[in-house]
Amino acid sequence: MSPATSALGARAALAAITGPEDLRRLPAEDLPGLAAQIRAFLVDTVARTGGHLGPNLGAVELTIDVHRVFDSARDSLVFDTGHQTYVHKILTGRAEAFATLRQEGGLSGYPSRAESRHDLIENSHASTALSYADGLAKAAALRGTAGRRVVAVVGDGALTGGMSWEALNNLGAAPERPVVVVLNDNGRSYSPTVGGIARHLAALRAGSGGPTVFEDLGLAYLGPVDGHDTAAVEAALRAAAALERPVVVHCVTAKGKGYAPAEADDSDHMHTVGAIDPGTGRPVRPAAPTWTSVFGEEVTAIGAERPDVVCVTGAMRLPAGLGPFAQRFPQRVYDVGIAEQHAVTSAAGLALGGLHPVVAVYAAFLGRAVDQVLTDVALHRLPVTFVLDRAGITGPDGASHHGMWDASLLPVVPGLALAAPRDCARLRELLREAVATEDGPTALRYPKASVGPDIPALCRAGGCDVLREDPGARVLLVAVGPMARPCLEAAADLAADGVPTAVVDPRWCAPLPAGLCALAEDRDLVVAVEDTCVTGALGGRLAQALANRPRPPRVLTQALPPRFLPHAARPRLLAEAGLDAAGIARRVRRHLSG
């Protein structure tokens, strides 16, 4: 595809597709041209808004044919890892809204029930679609909704997750409940697909004979099919539907297909991009240092000093910042696939074997392995360090990806210490303290954002960093992690208004540092400011700890509301929750005046 392809021409051609019914009326010979137009449209629009480009470029023909064979307004169509649904959105009448993709009030980057009746589930975490499909097929059988077909579009990367195999185990045992599993096999998720299933699929792609693992489980198997041949894919899907039993249709695709910069990107085929030049694929703005990149540098430096330090991740070696470590110590990085539960318990085994594992995952995804953190790691008091990227508000990825639950869940884990660095220097410092801990698990959380200048402390008291102490300050702001800067700005504003204010960074926010209560108990008002869900946040735990003091201060929690938040820019969502300088100062003034 030429980058010079007119976006206006693509829009004009796509304007005739207002829904899947228009697609089904197209002659088969028009489909390759439509696929090219969709790719041109994707490159043009995603280059402006940012988003998941590579996965959608690879799923164009496959999605066209799914909508030609099945009726998403009537059948149950489920996509595993919903970032591959841009083409689905285009074909279901949302092309004109793509200028708003991942923008506040605009199109979600994932399926959205509020957007369209064609979006059955809001699926954006991998390896869940087959379980949804199993339940939908059971419901259809019980309710007698004959003719409503169940279709799950699943990437090969999702098959590295245990839930997929738990679901396949059930699907294969029920030949009377037909489910069509469309396997979009591009050989990778973010990174190349790992493990035994990757080798098995590679053998199938190479034409090796013998039964497939799917057939051994009781499902039928069709393929492999060229996933970019619309005629071949449509024929295979129609054959699968006619079988009226659980069946896997194995479609081989290429991530980033048709866009030269994505095809040439060996790292992840432009899986996710910001705003780019559509001609070259290069970012339009230079990349600033991020929390992720600082972690990557420091964990590599630690690895050079500590041969017992190893890293574990779940299909996110590069996004989680482990690229430098993997390049220098390739034998000490374990990518277990999209399998967070296994990652945590495997890390427990590494710790039992005398190593210190660092588990690097997104904060939102650790929730899938809380039981393993609790009973496999903490119960055994094992030295495992969890590094939680994308903590708090992530921005354009929306409700499923905001990392706003980990800091509420982890404090209940006995023996686990949770830290939140306020700047680069503290990230490096706290990471070193974490990997030096040998009597239990530790965790660090930081946001998806660029990092600003370091914020020096006036002094350290009781394990906490005092960042500001006005003479006679009756108000204390407890700034958790990156909330330090807005807290300092709010304190300066309050002081200028005659309200002397102190600011302290607890560094370790669970369990509460011994000195935090001492710093807080003589104040009139304490406001704990944290980029996490208000339920279970530090403020509530601090209020409980101070409740039995002779003169307990009033303790408020300024945090995120306990609900799923939409996609929007991180600063915007933080401001709406009162987690900017103006909101913090406003909260203090309101309570002092009351």
Side-chain angles (χ1 to χ4, degrees):
M1 179 186 67
S2 168
T5 300
S6 168
L8 182 62
R11 287 177 185 274
L14 289 172
I17 305 288
T18 60
E21 59 280 358
D22 296 323
L23 176 65
R24 288 191 282 271
R25 285 193 287 266
L26 280 181
E29 58 267 23
D30 289 353
L31 298 182
L34 175 63
Q37 292 162 2
I38 290 174
R39 284 195 171 90
F41 178 82
L42 284 171
V43 170
D44 178 68
T45 54
V46 178
R48 299 170 188 269
T49 63
H52 291 90
L53 183 58
N56 287 285
L57 291 172
V60 175
E61 291 86 357
L62 182 153
T63 309
I64 288 172
D65 284 318
V66 164
H67 278 290
R68 280 175 65 85
V69 175
F70 303 99
D71 181 0
S72 57
R74 182 172 182 271
D75 296 327
S76 297
L77 175 57
V78 181
F79 287 86
D80 200 301
T81 317
H83 62 234
Q84 63 176 321
T85 55
Y86 291 9
V87 183
H88 163 75
K89 288 175 182 262
I90 291 169
L91 297 176
T92 52
R94 287 170 272 182
E96 289 303 315
F98 256 70
T100 70
L101 180 69
R102 293 166 31 109
Q103 311 299 305
E104 183 177 0
L107 279 184
S108 169
Y110 298 93
S112 170
R113 289 161 64 92
E115 281 181 13
S116 173
R117 65 193 177 110
H118 298 278
D119 292 1
L120 181 61
I121 60 170
E122 307 201 2
N123 192 27
S124 55
H125 286 190
S127 309
T128 60
L130 295 176
S131 295
Y132 278 116
D134 179 61
L136 285 162
K138 290 171 179 172
L142 283 175
R143 297 184 65 194
T145 52
R148 181 172 185 175
R149 298 168 294 188
V150 179
V151 184
V153 180
V154 180
D156 61 298
L159 292 186
T160 61
M163 279 186 69
S164 289
W165 294 97
E166 293 168 26
L168 286 168
N169 184 50
N170 279 259
L171 290 171
E176 74 282 3
R177 292 197 295 268
V179 173
V180 176
V181 178
V182 182
L183 174 56
N184 177 19
D185 177 10
N186 61 26
R188 55 197 307 132
S189 46
Y190 278 98
S191 304
T193 305
V194 299
I197 186 61
R199 289 195 298 271
H200 182 61
L201 294 179
L204 295 178
R205 291 194 298 269
S208 298
T212 70
V213 66
F214 307 108
E215 291 168 296
D216 285 343
L217 287 171
L219 293 89
Y221 171 84
L222 299 175
V225 179
D226 180 352
H228 301 298
D229 182 334
T230 52
V233 173
E234 182 171 339
L237 292 177
R238 294 194 184 281
L243 289 176
E244 296 189 349
R245 59 168 297 185
V247 55
V248 172
V249 181
H250 183 186
C251 299
V252 179
T253 63
K255 190 174 181 179
K257 173 75 173 178
Y259 182 46
E263 291 179 337
D265 177 20
D266 289 334
S267 61
D268 63 4
H269 294 284
M270 299 183 74
H271 181 94
T272 308
V273 298
I276 59 172
D277 178 336
T280 64
R282 297 193 183 98
V284 297
R285 290 180 293 273
T290 64
W291 295 89
T292 307
S293 62
V294 174
F295 159 70
E297 293 172 1
E298 192 62 20
V299 76
T300 305
I302 293 170
E305 302 164 12
R306 293 265 308 265
D308 63 318
V309 170
V310 296
C311 292
V312 180
T313 190
M316 290 193 171
R317 181 174 52 86
L318 295 180
L322 295 179
F325 192 100
Q327 186 173 16
R328 187 163 179 186
F329 311 111
Q331 302 305 313
R332 289 160 58 188
V333 174
Y334 302 98
D335 181 349
V336 302
I338 304 175
E340 291 84 1
Q341 291 175 302
H342 168 61
V344 172
T345 304
S346 177
L350 287 164
L352 286 168
L355 300 173
H356 190 112
V358 175
V359 180
V361 295
Y362 287 3
F365 298 161
L366 187 71
R368 308 180 80 177
V370 170
D371 178 65
Q372 285 69 34
V373 173
L374 187 66
T375 59
D376 298 340
V377 175
L379 180 64
H380 298 90
R381 300 180 297 280
L382 294 174
V384 177
T385 295
F386 299 96
V387 175
L388 308 180
D389 204 325
R390 274 73 165 171
I393 294 296
T394 60
D397 282 327
S400 63
H401 278 55
H402 292 315
M404 52 186 289
W405 319 112
D406 60 291
S408 296
L409 294 168
L410 292 180
V412 307
V413 177
L416 182 142
L418 173 64
R422 67 179 181 269
D423 56 25
C424 288
R426 257 43 63 177
L427 193 161
R428 298 179 190 276
E429 177 182 85
L430 289 167
L431 179 61
R432 286 182 173 273
E433 291 180 22
V435 297
T437 301
E438 296 298 332
D439 58 352
T442 53
L444 274 73
R445 69 187 312 262
Y446 50 77
K448 177 185 180 182
S450 57
V451 290
D454 286 345
I455 302 171
L458 300 176
C459 65
R460 182 162 294 174
C464 304
D465 281 352
V466 178
L467 307 182
R468 180 185 178 112
E469 183 67 80
D470 291 344
R474 308 308 302 164
V475 174
L476 175 67
L477 301 180
V478 180
V480 180
M483 295 295 100
R485 190 166 302 281
C487 281
L488 285 169
E489 293 171 359
D493 181 25
L494 290 166
D497 200 24
V499 181
T501 302
V503 180
V504 62
D505 171 11
R507 299 175 68 252
W508 292 93
C509 44
L512 292 175
L516 184 57
C517 289
L519 289 166
E521 62 182 346
D522 292 330
R523 317 286 179 168
D524 295 328
L525 176 65
V526 177
V527 182
V529 185
E530 188 172 9
D531 182 10
T532 191
C533 178
V534 66
T535 306
L538 180 143
R541 292 181 280 117
L542 180 59
Q544 185 178 23
L546 291 169
N548 294 325
R549 299 298 171 104
R551 184 182 170 271
R554 185 172 190 182
V555 180
L556 305 176
T557 299
Q558 191 85 337
L560 299 172
R563 63 174 184 269
F564 293 108
L565 301 180
H567 60 278
R570 174 176 161 83
R572 168 74 170 175
L573 290 176
L574 290 174
E576 286 186 356
L579 293 174
D580 61 350
I584 297 163
R586 185 168 56 247
R587 183 86 185 273
V588 170
R589 288 190 178 99
R590 184 167 68 244
H591 283 273
L592 289 178
S593 63

